Amino acid sequence: MIPLSERLDRLADQLPILHDTLRGVEKEGLRVHTDSGELSQRPHPKSLGSALAHPSITTDYSEALLELVTGTHGDVASLQQELADIHTFVSQHLDDEVIWNQSMPATLPPVADIPVGWYGTSNSGMLKHVYRLGLAERYGKPMQCIAGIHYNFSVPDTLWQVLGVPDASPQEQRSMGYMALIRNFMRFSWLLMYLFGASPAVSKSFLDGVPHQLDTLDDSTLFLPYATSLRMSDIGYQTETQAELQLCYNDLDTFLARMYNAVTTPWPDYEAIGTHRDGKWIQLNTNVLQIENEYYSSIRPKRVTGRCERPATALAKRGIQYVEVRCLDVDPWSPVGISASTCHFLDTFLLYCATQDSPDFPDGGFCRESRDNFNLVVRDGRRPGLMLTSDDQPLALRDWATEIISGMQPYARMLDAAYDTSEYTASLEKQMRCVDDTSQTPSARLLHALRSGPANLHEYTLEQSLQHKKTLLERGLQPATLKAYQDAAMHSFVEQEQLEKGDTETFDEYVARFHAALRNIVELDAAVVNGGR
């Protein structure tokens, strides 16, 4: 690969290609009752459309866990516009419910009463439902009620040419470029947790009966004094089973080989559960992972899939199309869960990751050092003088964060020039203030609000969520936009009905075909698969 200085010069000479960068958002949020803030146990509102077939409004794990999905956008302003439109439409149809604008859950009912997402009786709908039943069996329902922000990001193929990524073929060049981006993301993603982590506290009810090492903030709230994101800690999206997985980010073939092994290798604890109970499906299989998406990674290589197509098969056949950043907490102060400034920073950060030198990871492609830095920051990131590890050497978090953000400045200037704005540079300046003063980070601001005010975490979040709903309702929608969402809701039910009527095989046959689809990973020969064990 050409030297970094030359890469920067070549990029600066071809700024228009940066204007073809695409980004999108998937925002999760629980539906809760406006009077109590308790989890809704009602079905997904029919006025929002079919959770199976609506392109923008669906659910994730729980029937009450909304997932609001934008399309891809060429700029941050239009992305924020669509995200606000979706939130506004949903808020208009929630009546006496509100979207819980915090990553850690509201007060949950007894575990048996947490509703699992329902997607109708079609085979594809039942696959989504049974997969979620399996998540409940494996990890428990409360963990599946945690919410987050997923940021989807892609660059034009010409960028990889400009950066000098080897070009055995356009598809391989693209995949190599994205895997290099992912390696650097893994090295530096602790910075995102420090800057944007917003879940330093959790309701006691979430950990009822679960051993933990958290401190008590008040009668109903637990916390860690220097935590940034308990959501991404060992009490959130971490599991002992998945901790044993060591996916490789050095190349796509090895990554897919190890993923293949994870979704085809039985796990004793899950074998003990079985796939059926009382004659009904309770999980899709008894393997380490039921499907590829069960792996709780902070970033994923992605490719759009067709119906009944496995993610691994799509990646093997057509290569990486974009990356999905999955470690972001919901921003409690934004009505849509993520601010425009954060989007500008993420664009810059990901372009930085794509362009910087990205050597392969040692240890078979799994970087323990990066994992350890990430885990330390989510639990202790604001501790004064905190030291991380870089290339086996201690390095102060503050010094390393300053170094990274300083290194991002040329990219921010290029993006500013490409989009004729100053927002990218401004986003770096804002986050540099958080590095210089930890009290300005979201996690510190939230703890300060809880310590200085009369409200506990539950009361504070409910008040914030209600205010966001009020803001969105006052914002309203243009008549044409409102009609478009109403039409999409109606059409989604038509599509769901067509899927249900069009199925010609039993669900058992559909599941078997879904599992068999992994055999279509023709690019992975047996030697590579076995080598990934």
Side-chain angles (χ1 to χ4, degrees):
M1 201 165 180
I2 60 178
L4 176 61
S5 59
E6 185 176 344
R7 272 174 262 154
L8 283 169
D9 289 342
R10 292 174 66 170
L11 193 56
D13 288 340
Q14 300 193 47
L15 290 181
I17 66 172
L18 295 180
H19 205 277
D20 294 328
T21 301
L22 296 175
R23 73 280 292 154
V25 164
E26 302 165 29
K27 189 267 184 144
E28 299 164 343
L30 291 168
R31 285 186 293 114
V32 304
H33 295 291
T34 56
D35 56 347
S36 65
E38 295 179 351
L39 185 75
S40 173
Q41 293 176 276
R42 299 171 181 168
H44 184 66
K46 288 187 176 181
S47 57
L48 299 181
S50 161
L52 175 67
H54 198 293
S56 303
I57 304 170
T58 182
T59 60
D60 197 331
Y61 167 76
S62 173
E63 185 77 354
L65 184 57
L66 290 166
E67 184 172 17
L68 309 182
V69 183
T70 73
T72 55
H73 289 265
D75 61 78
V76 170
S78 62
L79 170 66
Q80 285 279 316
Q81 174 75 30
E82 185 185 5
L83 199 54
D85 286 346
I86 300 172
H87 277 77
T88 300
F89 179 77
V90 170
S91 295
Q92 290 175 342
H93 292 83
L94 287 189
D95 297 327
D96 58 349
E97 294 179 347
V98 66
I99 302 173
W100 186 254
N101 215 50
Q102 161 65 232
S103 280
M104 300 309 290
T107 299
L108 298 175
V111 171
D113 296 332
I114 297 175
V116 176
W118 175 250
Y119 304 92
T121 59
S122 69
N123 285 331
S124 53
M126 288 301 300
L127 189 84
K128 291 168 70 72
H129 177 69
V130 172
Y131 166 60
R132 284 154 176 77
L133 293 178
L135 296 179
E137 295 286 340
R138 294 167 176 232
Y139 314 112
K141 288 183 175 181
M143 193 179 93
Q144 306 306 313
C145 292
I146 297 172
I149 295 283
H150 299 168
Y151 197 79
N152 300 317
F153 178 86
S154 68
V155 295
D157 287 351
T158 49
L159 177 71
W160 307 121
Q161 300 168 18
V162 169
L163 297 181
V165 176
D167 56 353
S169 72
Q171 177 175 312
E172 291 181 13
Q173 182 183 53
R174 185 190 321 114
S175 292
M176 290 175 65
Y178 280 120
M179 291 302 281
L181 183 161
I182 289 172
R183 289 194 298 275
N184 277 337
F185 181 93
M186 299 295 291
R187 292 181 174 103
F188 307 137
S189 57
W190 59 263
L191 178 61
L192 300 184
M193 306 320 300
Y194 174 83
L195 295 175
F196 304 114
S199 56
V202 59
S203 295
K204 284 185 177 180
S205 63
F206 179 74
L207 293 174
D208 186 26
V210 178
H212 62 82
Q213 296 178 327
L214 304 185
D215 298 336
T216 298
L217 185 63
D218 55 50
D219 290 344
S220 65
T221 311
L222 300 171
F223 82 116
L224 285 178
Y226 301 112
T228 62
S229 177
L230 293 180
R231 165 181 171 261
M232 295 304 297
S233 75
D234 54 357
I235 73 164
Y237 277 124
Q238 303 290 329
T239 71
E240 292 183 7
T241 304
Q242 294 198 15
E244 299 299 318
L245 293 178
Q246 296 187 8
L247 297 185
C248 175
Y249 296 102
N250 286 345
D251 62 86
L252 182 59
D253 280 353
T254 308
F255 171 85
L256 290 173
R258 295 186 181 181
M259 180 64 77
Y260 177 90
N261 288 330
V263 296
T264 57
T265 302
W267 187 257
D269 290 349
Y270 304 153
E271 288 184 301
I273 296 172
T275 58
H276 289 71
R277 182 178 298 142
D278 298 328
K280 296 181 180 180
W281 282 87
I282 57 171
Q283 58 177 344
L284 293 175
N285 56 50
T286 60
N287 299 328
V288 176
L289 302 176
Q290 296 176 90
I291 62 175
E292 298 89 318
N293 288 349
E294 188 174 333
Y295 183 61
Y296 294 125
S297 56
S298 59
I299 187 171
R300 286 178 182 166
K302 296 287 292 246
R303 160 67 61 178
V304 173
T305 59
R307 192 183 185 215
C308 207
E309 183 180 30
R310 297 293 294 259
T313 305
L315 285 170
K317 286 183 175 181
R318 304 188 293 281
I320 302 173
Q321 183 180 11
Y322 63 98
V323 293
E324 178 188 44
V325 175
R326 301 172 48 81
C327 58
L328 294 171
D329 284 348
V330 173
D331 182 345
W333 296 279
S334 167
V336 298
I338 183 171
S339 70
S341 178
T342 299
C343 295
H344 286 113
F345 187 92
L346 288 170
D347 285 354
T348 311
F349 180 78
L350 292 167
L351 181 60
Y352 172 84
C353 289
T355 307
Q356 294 291 296
D357 292 334
S358 185
D360 285 351
F361 284 143
D363 302 321
F366 179 78
C367 189
R368 290 174 176 81
E369 184 177 271
S370 298
R371 179 195 62 187
D372 292 346
N373 285 333
F374 187 94
N375 291 341
L376 180 59
V377 171
V378 298
R379 292 182 65 93
D380 219 28
R382 287 179 289 103
R383 182 178 293 278
L386 183 66
M387 302 296 291
L388 304 179
T389 304
S390 176
D391 295 327
D392 294 322
Q393 299 298 316
L395 181 58
L397 179 149
R398 182 172 179 175
D399 292 342
W400 198 357
T402 301
E403 177 185 318
I404 293 172
I405 295 178
S406 296
M408 290 168 59
Q409 289 177 353
Y411 303 94
R413 289 193 292 267
M414 284 188 277
L415 286 165
D416 278 339
Y419 285 97
D420 190 23
T421 184
S422 60
E423 296 297 327
Y424 286 97
T425 297
S427 72
L428 266 59
E429 294 171 349
K430 178 180 179 180
Q431 298 311 321
M432 195 63 231
R433 291 193 290 271
C434 291
V435 173
D436 292 335
D437 180 3
T438 60
S439 69
Q440 296 193 40
T441 59
S443 54
R445 290 170 57 204
L446 180 58
L447 285 182
H448 176 74
L450 298 179
R451 285 169 168 154
S452 60
N456 58 34
L457 176 64
H458 185 87
E459 295 164 342
Y460 179 84
T461 303
L462 179 58
E463 181 181 350
Q464 289 283 93
S465 302
L466 290 170
Q467 181 57 52
H468 291 326
K469 180 177 182 179
K470 182 175 182 290
T471 298
L472 291 165
L473 292 177
E474 291 175 347
R475 171 186 181 271
L477 289 171
Q478 295 295 322
T481 304
L482 176 60
K483 186 177 186 304
Y485 281 111
Q486 291 170 334
D487 290 347
M490 289 188 292
H491 179 73
S492 68
F493 283 118
V494 174
E495 185 175 346
Q496 177 177 327
E497 183 179 8
Q498 290 173 343
L499 288 172
E500 292 172 349
K501 290 182 177 179
D503 283 332
T504 57
E505 58 189 338
T506 67
F507 182 63
D508 289 5
E509 292 169 339
Y510 184 83
V511 172
R513 184 161 62 90
F514 179 77
H515 291 323
L518 279 174
R519 299 171 189 163
N520 294 328
I521 307 179
V522 295
E523 287 80 0
L524 298 178
D525 60 27
V528 173
V529 171
N530 291 331
R533 289 191 186 276

